[in-house]
Amino acid sequence: MLLARRNLTHDRVRLVLSITGVALSVMLILLLSGYLAGIYRQSATYLENAPGSVVVAQQGVRTFAGSSSFLSSDVLDSVRTTPGVAQAVPIVMQAAVLELHDRKEIASLVGYDAAQGGGPWKLAEGRTPEADHEVVVDQVLADQHGISIGSALTILDQQFTVVGLSADTSLWIGSYVFAGAEAVQTMLRAPGVWSAIFVTPSAGVSDADIVRAIAIPGIEAFPKTDKIEADRRGIARIYDAPLGLMVGIAFVVGVLVVGLVIYTATVERRREYGALKAIGMKNRTLYRLVTRQALIAAVAGGLLGVALAFGLAALLIALRPQFPIVIEPGAIATALAASLVMAVLAALAPARAIAGLAPAEVFR
Amino acid sequence: MNALTLDVRNVTKRYGDGETAVTAVRDVSLAIQPSEIVLIMGPSGSGKTTLLSMMGALLHPTAGTIRLDGTALSDLSERQLPPIRLRQFGFIFQDFNLLSALSILENVALVAELAGSKRKAAREKATAILTELGLGARLDFLPEKLSGGEKQRVAIARALINDPALILADEPTANLDSKIGHEIMRLLRRIAKEQGRSVVIVSHDQRIRDIADRVLWLEDGRFKDVITMTTDPVCGMTVERDRAVSVERDGEAFYFCSKGCREEFLGRLRSEDMGGCRSAVLQRAGSVFAHLASGARDGHASD
Ligand SMILES: Nc1ncnc2c1ncn2[C@@H]1O[C@H](COP(=O)(O)OP(=O)(O)OP(=O)(O)O)[C@@H](O)[C@H]1O
Ligand SMILES: [Mg+2]
């Protein structure tokens, strides 16, 4: 409808305000949900890149980075000999404090056997650890603290030399540091003790079969996807409520901005709408008119918001690489849908104002 | 357009109820004939706008009926009214109420489109009407760029575009200076007479009464006796016949705004008696009077 467009473009400032309002709201929604999606993705990367599809850990210990899971070499041996197991890769993992020259950083120290796997999946520079006291550290962490290949690093009072930098290994808190399994076990004063075993079933054997087959007292086996899901839920418990609240607030602010702008524009044109009613425009047509104004503003704002979100996300990632912001297509669709809902909600108050307008009022 | 008769019968309008009820129009009847120009005057708050709104199907009467050529508008529901407002009535408002975001061409064409015209046809029709009203060079202007008189002409074009049987105008000249106001009234008269539309005008403006076929006086929600107006032959002012200073000469009555004008008139008669052109003065005064008297004779009021 021509009139809807003209009414909007007639008040430039208003149009800019309402589009900006929606854009900022949509951008905020996308960044917040992108931040959450980034955290989820980070939490899952290690497991996704670890070998195998079934995880074996101490009974009841599903977060083996924080609270420790202890598996003896006997457990490893019996897992290896379980029928249907093609490969079993043990790792030892321990949260550790890195003493960096300027401050302390939390890291997940992973001890692995280079021959079997469980180590860094993408090396940005250097090589994997070969000797004791060699480590690979996360590239982002290294960049932030001036660590480079050949630098010395103190972990739990032990001296290490950085031989490689890994990519894609930062965490929302801390980052991964990889070292040889024995070195880590020695450092933890627990030789031969593992945290988890990644199991690859033989061809034709399902994860469920393996989970059932590994029946060792005090030990639990579960599909890797379960573990990823459990980690996800753990993060969700921490983040979903506050981020959800912020997303909700962003949405409401968006609705209020468009609503207020369209509402004041409608009230200001009250006499014009009244004249249209007197002339014979149906209420339904008038509602469509204001809804369309809200829709145009919201869609323009939504698209601008998506663009802004991508721009700002790129900027944030450049400035703070440890906080990845992952804008997923689903989130974009949701944000655009949210802007449409904003438009409809925003049109309610003005539509009510118009409905309450008596056609005879134009003569006052 | 077909010529339609609007018949208002025993119409009453009460606003609110209980102690605060206001009866704005009380038991009013009148009929508007095709191509008739009716001027409704009266003091502020007398119910003129209320009556006009009911005549234009913008307001439901509390009692009584309003028929447009047999269709009882007062019985129709709010949902049935928009098409009637759109096609049968043209409204003209005191403050023009043009759509500020649209050009004047779009303002007028929009109303044709509402009535079902295709965009192109609507624009052509609007262009033709606006051009006829002397706005051909302003088609793409926004209303804010026009003078008051031009805006009111746009409003008239908008009122005409769907070829209505009736034009209803509330104080159409109140925001215009008297010269432009008069132009607008002459335009409305031309529309009524050339196009056969009925025009109902509500106004306070005494100066526009000479274009009406019938002047009705509304007071306290009722029509009062129609006051016959006439023109003072000396100063040209419109005066109420029954309250004016008068004089009779040769079986004919003359009315004046004041004794001063009467003295001047009599003085002139005396001097022209000597000059021998007395009959010319009498004739001139007489003709103005006759015109107005015929207007008044047609008028009828119900009380
Ligand atoms: N919507 C309304 N609600 C309540 N009372 C109303 C309403 N509209 C008009 N009135 C009252 O009805 C009476 C007639 O009002 P109306 O507007 O018809 O007068 P009017 O003759 O047009 O006056 P004016 O010359 O000042 O425009 C007034 O007393 C007014 O206060
Ligand atoms: Mg009025």
Side-chain angles (χ1 to χ4, degrees):
Chain A
M1 244 186 309
L2 176 75
L3 183 55
R5 276 207 320 275
R6 287 294 167 76
N7 272 349
L8 277 174
T9 51
H10 192 63
D11 310 313
R12 293 273 158 71
V13 177
R14 268 210 186 108
L15 181 62
V16 169
L17 277 181
S18 54
I19 288 180
T20 312
V22 180
L24 290 180
S25 156
V26 163
M27 182 192 80
L28 208 55
I29 291 174
L30 278 177
L31 286 181
L32 289 171
S33 57
Y35 175 68
L36 193 56
I39 290 175
Y40 282 141
R41 183 169 296 180
Q42 278 185 339
S43 81
T45 26
Y46 178 75
L47 279 172
E48 276 166 359
N49 288 289
S53 60
V54 171
V55 182
V56 176
Q58 191 177 325
Q59 180 99 50
V61 178
R62 291 225 166 178
T63 51
F64 41 70
S67 58
S68 303
S69 155
F70 294 104
L71 306 174
S72 65
S73 315
D74 294 348
V75 173
L76 177 60
D77 290 341
S78 65
V79 168
R80 280 195 167 130
T81 52
T82 304
V85 170
Q87 193 200 18
V89 179
I91 56 129
V92 52
M93 192 185 264
Q94 175 65 42
V97 174
L98 304 183
E99 315 232 348
L100 301 165
H101 61 91
D102 44 359
R103 60 180 176 151
K104 297 182 176 185
E105 285 270 358
I106 283 226
S108 276
L109 182 61
V110 178
Y112 74 106
D113 185 340
Q116 300 184 59
W121 46 97
K122 206 192 278 173
L123 268 186
E125 234 180 283
R127 56 171 176 81
T128 50
E130 282 160 12
D132 281 358
H133 301 283
E134 287 186 349
V135 286
V136 166
V137 301
D138 174 54
Q139 186 186 21
V140 172
L141 180 82
D143 280 354
Q144 278 176 341
H145 296 281
I147 299 168
S148 56
I149 298 203
S151 298
L153 195 61
T154 309
I155 308 170
L156 295 178
D157 300 332
Q158 305 234 356
Q159 285 291 316
F160 288 85
T161 308
V162 176
V163 294
L165 302 180
S166 62
D168 204 11
T169 44
S170 55
L171 276 171
W172 45 294
I173 33 164
S175 53
Y176 285 104
V177 171
F178 301 93
E182 264 175 54
V184 175
Q185 284 168 340
T186 311
M187 188 169 62
L188 297 176
R189 294 184 182 84
V193 170
W194 304 100
S195 303
I197 303 165
F198 300 120
V199 176
T200 311
S202 315
V205 178
S206 73
D207 290 352
D209 294 338
I210 294 289
V211 167
R212 237 175 291 116
I214 297 174
I216 308 164
I219 300 301
E220 196 178 5
F222 41 87
K224 211 161 80 175
T225 49
D226 276 15
K227 163 72 179 145
I228 292 175
E229 192 43 47
D231 287 352
R232 213 187 149 81
R233 275 200 300 275
I235 292 168
R237 261 201 299 282
I238 302 169
Y239 278 95
D240 273 9
L243 281 186
L245 183 68
M246 285 191 264
V247 165
I249 291 171
F251 178 80
V252 171
V253 168
V255 172
L256 289 181
V257 171
V258 204
L260 198 66
V261 170
I262 304 284
Y263 179 75
T264 52
T266 308
V267 169
E268 221 165 75
R269 285 173 202 274
R270 201 182 155 78
R271 294 196 67 81
E272 295 185 14
Y273 289 115
L276 284 172
K277 257 192 175 180
I279 284 168
M281 193 180 261
K282 293 195 193 90
N283 264 340
R284 192 149 34 93
T285 317
L286 282 165
Y287 296 155
R288 270 219 305 273
L289 188 64
V290 283
T291 309
R292 185 152 321 189
Q293 292 178 36
L295 274 178
I296 295 174
V299 168
L303 293 174
L304 180 65
V306 171
L308 282 179
F310 273 105
L312 202 59
L315 187 70
L316 286 176
I317 290 169
L319 292 176
R320 295 244 166 243
Q322 69 271 42
F323 296 121
I325 293 167
V326 181
I327 299 176
E328 286 161 337
I332 295 173
T334 311
L336 288 179
S339 69
L340 293 186
V341 177
M342 276 181 213
V344 173
L345 291 179
L348 286 180
R352 270 184 67 93
I354 286 183
L357 206 58
E361 261 179 64
V362 272
F363 282 134
R364 314 246 125 241
Chain B
M1 181 198 74
N2 42 347
L4 293 175
T5 309
L6 187 74
D7 190 28
V8 176
R9 199 135 305 259
N10 304 112
V11 160
T12 294
K13 178 70 193 182
R14 222 180 344 265
Y15 289 111
D17 40 26
E19 304 238 316
T20 57
V22 176
T23 306
V25 171
R26 305 167 195 265
D27 197 24
V28 162
S29 299
L30 89 152
I32 312 286
Q33 303 304 326
S35 77
E36 187 186 24
I37 304 179
V38 174
L39 178 61
I40 299 175
M41 303 189 82
S44 186
S46 57
K48 305 180 297 292
T49 296
T50 303
L51 178 60
L52 191 76
S53 303
M54 289 191 290
M55 290 167 77
L58 299 179
L59 197 62
H60 271 286
T62 312
T65 53
I66 297 172
R67 291 178 183 280
L68 183 66
D69 226 31
T71 312
L73 299 181
S74 40
D75 291 347
L76 297 180
S77 71
E78 182 56 37
R79 291 176 146 273
Q80 295 168 297
L81 291 174
I84 291 178
R85 292 177 191 144
L86 191 55
R87 294 187 177 83
Q88 308 291 6
F89 298 111
F91 293 98
I92 299 169
F93 312 101
Q94 172 177 338
D95 42 11
F96 324 123
N97 285 325
L98 300 173
L99 304 176
S100 54
L102 296 186
S103 73
I104 66 166
L105 175 63
E106 289 160 348
N107 257 284
V108 178
L110 172 78
V111 180
E113 277 183 62
L114 281 181
S117 290
K118 289 267 168 291
R119 171 162 296 192
K120 191 159 169 283
R123 289 177 80 93
E124 280 168 6
K125 211 164 145 195
T127 306
I129 294 183
L130 285 165
T131 308
E132 205 192 309
L133 296 183
L135 294 163
R138 302 263 191 285
L139 297 179
D140 294 325
F141 282 44
L142 289 177
E144 67 200 50
K145 298 274 190 297
L146 301 186
S147 72
E150 285 170 327
K151 278 188 222 175
Q152 200 55 299
R153 275 186 279 158
V154 176
I156 291 174
R158 178 172 71 174
L160 288 176
I161 188 124
N162 286 334
D163 215 15
L166 271 118
I167 305 268
L168 303 172
D170 194 3
E171 307 275 6
T173 59
N175 285 340
L176 303 175
D177 68 43
S178 67
K179 180 171 157 288
I180 304 293
H182 233 95
E183 247 169 50
I184 293 293
M185 296 310 293
R186 275 201 300 277
L187 178 59
L188 287 174
R189 182 169 179 89
R190 214 182 79 208
I191 287 163
K193 297 306 165 189
E194 287 174 7
Q195 307 178 356
R197 299 178 212 280
S198 314
V199 178
V200 179
I201 301 163
V202 159
S203 183
H204 277 112
D205 190 351
Q206 296 284 348
R207 293 163 303 193
I208 63 174
R209 47 189 312 148
D210 52 340
I211 68 123
D213 294 323
R214 191 146 58 110
V215 179
L216 301 173
W217 185 262
L218 198 64
E219 214 172 299
D220 201 17
R222 289 192 185 95
F223 284 133
K224 286 285 183 285
D225 278 339
V226 175
I227 1 152
T228 309
M229 305 298 284
T230 185
T231 309
D232 182 328
V234 175
C235 65
M237 212 171 122
T238 310
V239 293
E240 258 182 53
R241 199 170 59 186
D242 299 341
R243 293 194 195 169
V245 183
S246 67
V247 69
E248 228 180 88
R249 269 285 175 277
D250 301 340
E252 199 150 13
F254 297 92
Y255 302 89
F256 306 93
C257 67
S258 61
K259 285 181 183 155
C261 275
R262 183 177 63 187
E263 292 316 312
E264 168 130 23
F265 180 77
L266 293 173
R268 274 195 219 165
L269 282 186
R270 277 194 292 277
S271 66
E272 275 153 9
D273 261 348
M274 288 175 247
C277 15
R278 175 186 175 211
S279 59
V281 173
L282 277 181
Q283 238 159 24
R284 200 187 127 250
S287 77
V288 172
F289 174 72
H291 166 71
L292 286 163
S294 85
R297 206 168 33 248
D298 292 349
H300 66 269
S302 60
D303 204 335

